[in-house]
């Protein structure tokens, strides 16, 4: 499919916008994946300085080996945070490992009835993909409390998240990338589609499950950390051989911590140039500083030649 056909094609149904985070709202902190030491007082002061209050769920303060609490605790926290109508948004403590263990136990109808901004990345990709498929609402690939928010990450890490979940970006808004951090065009043209994806290793791990990436007409976003180039090749080759890459409309390549864009460019060209789709590399989202928030499930427009990204729908209401 050439670029003109891609633009003309009818996209899949756009993601469902979620209620915006109101000023002085209440934010839930949950730990669906791994554990980490957590200073409650510091977190509360940080949020209070920005006008928000916190509700910290039990798994945040627990540890079960490499997990933050048992599967039951972490599942209950996820359900309770969504079901609580006093909660305006949900932030994850960290990634690590464990989110996929919950996928076949989640009450997606409950999540859909109480949709709200849900923020995280890395291992949390499993939840992003499952929520998009089962509940249909937009989630946010963005900073987590201990990894970025309390670590004083460089701007616009914080403002990127806040502006999206508070509704300051509307249909037609450009999701601008810092000019001081140049992007690389791998494939030219313009495509429109739902922005889907996240951590590449997790996307690969979910292949063959009911929550595998649905690739038809999407703008694929990928990022990762601590993965050598040959493993990135393996993950992308798996998506190619499964037929997923042939279905996508464009690619936004986020940060691959430990591997420069220059090092990745030959592999990206091998994988994506035959598809004739726009590909932009070097977007600062993922395990990086700054870490820009992206609305997963939202309809976007990607310009590969100009390395620009626009919202094609409101992401909060």
């Amino acid at each position: 499919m050439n670029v003109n056909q891609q633009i003309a094609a009818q996209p899949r149904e756009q993601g469902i916008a979620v209620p915006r985070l109101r000023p002085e709202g209440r934010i839930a902190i949950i730990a669906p994946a791994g554990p980490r030491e957590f200073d409650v007082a510091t977190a509360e002061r940080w949020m209070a300085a920005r006008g928000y209050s916190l509700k910290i769920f039990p798994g945040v303060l627990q540890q079960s080996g490499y997990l933050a609490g048992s599967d039951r605790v972490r599942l209950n926290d996820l359900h309770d945070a969504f079901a609580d109508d006093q909660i305006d948004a949900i932030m994850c403590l960290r990634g690590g490992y464990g989110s996929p263990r919950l996928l076949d136990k989640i009450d997606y109808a409950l999540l859909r009835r109480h949709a709200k901004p849900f923020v995280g990345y890395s291992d949390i990709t499993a939840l992003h993909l499952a929520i998009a498929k089962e509940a249909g609402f937009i989630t946010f690939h963005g900073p987590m409390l201990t990894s970025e928010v309390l670590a004083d990450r460089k701007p616009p890490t914080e403002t990127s998240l806040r502006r999206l979940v508070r509704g300051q970006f509307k249909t037609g808004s450009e999701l601008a990338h810092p000019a001081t951090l140049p992007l690389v065009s791998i494939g030219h043209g313009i495509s429109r589609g739902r922005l889907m994806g996240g951590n590449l290793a997790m996307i690969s791990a979910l292949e063959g499950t009911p929550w595998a990436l649905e690739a038809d007409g999407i703008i694929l976003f990928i990022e990762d950390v601590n993965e050598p180039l040959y493993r990135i090749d393996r993950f992308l080759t798996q998506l190619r051989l499964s037929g997923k890459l042939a279905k996508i409309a464009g690619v936004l390549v986020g940060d691959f911590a430990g591997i420069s864009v220059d090092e990745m460019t030959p592999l990206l060209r091998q994988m994506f140039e035959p598809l004739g789709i726009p590909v932009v590399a070097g977007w600062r989202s993922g395990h990086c500083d700054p870490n820009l928030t992206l609305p997963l499930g939202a309809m976007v427009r990607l310009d590969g030649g100009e390395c620009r990204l626009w919202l094609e729908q409101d992401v909060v209401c």
Side-chain angles (χ1 to χ4, degrees):
M1 180 182 292
N2 64 35
V3 171
N4 290 333
Q5 289 173 323
Q6 290 165 2
I7 294 176
Q10 288 295 320
R12 296 195 61 192
E13 183 180 358
Q14 64 185 22
I16 300 168
V18 295
R20 74 186 64 232
L21 173 63
R22 60 186 175 87
E24 301 181 353
R26 190 160 176 79
I27 297 175
I29 306 300
I30 65 172
R36 177 163 288 178
E37 289 187 10
F38 182 64
D39 187 331
V40 174
T42 297
E44 289 178 337
R45 285 195 300 271
W46 193 96
M47 287 292 182
R50 289 151 178 82
Y52 302 113
S53 61
L54 283 183
K55 182 171 181 178
I56 298 164
F57 283 77
V60 171
L61 304 176
Q62 296 183 23
Q63 180 170 352
S64 178
Y66 44 75
L67 303 172
S70 67
D71 288 353
R72 180 177 294 277
V73 166
R74 290 178 294 111
L75 179 67
N76 288 344
D77 286 356
L78 178 71
H79 284 157
D80 291 348
F82 271 100
D84 187 342
D85 289 332
Q86 300 303 308
I87 297 295
D88 297 285
I90 301 169
M91 292 186 71
C92 296
L93 180 72
R94 62 158 295 183
Y97 177 79
S99 298
R101 295 167 60 116
L102 307 180
L103 298 188
D104 59 345
K105 306 174 182 68
I106 294 172
D107 182 347
Y108 294 100
L110 181 150
L111 271 56
R112 186 167 54 249
R113 290 195 302 271
H114 300 275
K116 61 193 65 174
F118 175 79
V119 187
Y121 71 101
S122 194
D123 191 75
I124 307 303
T125 294
L127 295 173
H128 288 310
L129 291 175
I131 290 171
K133 181 170 186 177
E134 303 284 357
F137 60 83
I138 292 166
T139 59
F140 296 89
H141 184 281
M144 294 181 287
L145 196 67
T146 54
S147 301
E148 283 89 10
V149 174
L150 299 181
D152 294 325
R153 295 290 185 178
K154 296 174 185 175
T157 298
E158 181 185 338
T159 55
S160 172
L161 171 62
R162 185 172 64 243
R163 293 183 70 190
L164 271 169
V165 298
R166 291 186 61 169
Q168 292 171 281
F169 287 108
K170 305 284 188 181
T171 301
S173 295
E174 181 176 1
L175 297 178
H177 193 268
T180 55
L181 301 170
L183 298 166
V184 176
S185 175
I186 305 294
H188 291 196
I190 300 172
S191 283
R192 183 173 181 264
R194 291 183 73 186
L195 183 65
M196 298 290 293
N199 181 261
L200 181 58
M202 183 56 62
I203 294 170
S204 178
L206 289 178
E207 282 297 297
T209 76
W211 303 279
L213 177 74
E214 295 189 330
D216 292 353
I218 68 168
I219 305 298
L220 174 64
F221 167 69
I222 53 174
E223 66 84 33
D224 222 313
V225 61
N226 296 331
E227 296 289 0
L229 196 58
Y230 74 87
R231 284 179 57 84
I232 297 169
D233 187 328
R234 179 186 297 163
F235 298 146
L236 291 175
T237 298
Q238 180 184 18
L239 292 178
R240 180 179 67 82
L241 294 176
S242 71
K244 294 294 175 70
L245 294 189
K247 299 177 180 179
I248 64 178
V251 186
L252 184 65
V253 181
D255 189 76
F256 279 73
I259 302 178
S260 70
V261 176
D262 287 344
E263 291 173 305
M264 286 193 65
T265 294
L267 175 61
L268 295 175
R269 291 194 185 281
Q270 291 168 10
M271 291 290 173
F272 298 122
E273 278 188 341
L275 304 178
I277 58 177
V279 181
V280 174
W283 196 273
R284 300 291 284 180
S285 291
H287 299 76
C288 54
D289 188 12
N291 179 10
L292 307 181
T293 300
L294 290 168
L296 297 179
M299 192 66 67
V300 299
R301 185 170 81 255
L302 178 68
D303 186 326
E306 296 292 330
C307 296
R308 300 174 71 183
L309 182 70
W310 291 270
L311 282 179
E312 292 281 284
Q313 68 166 108
D314 289 352
V315 297
V316 297
C317 53

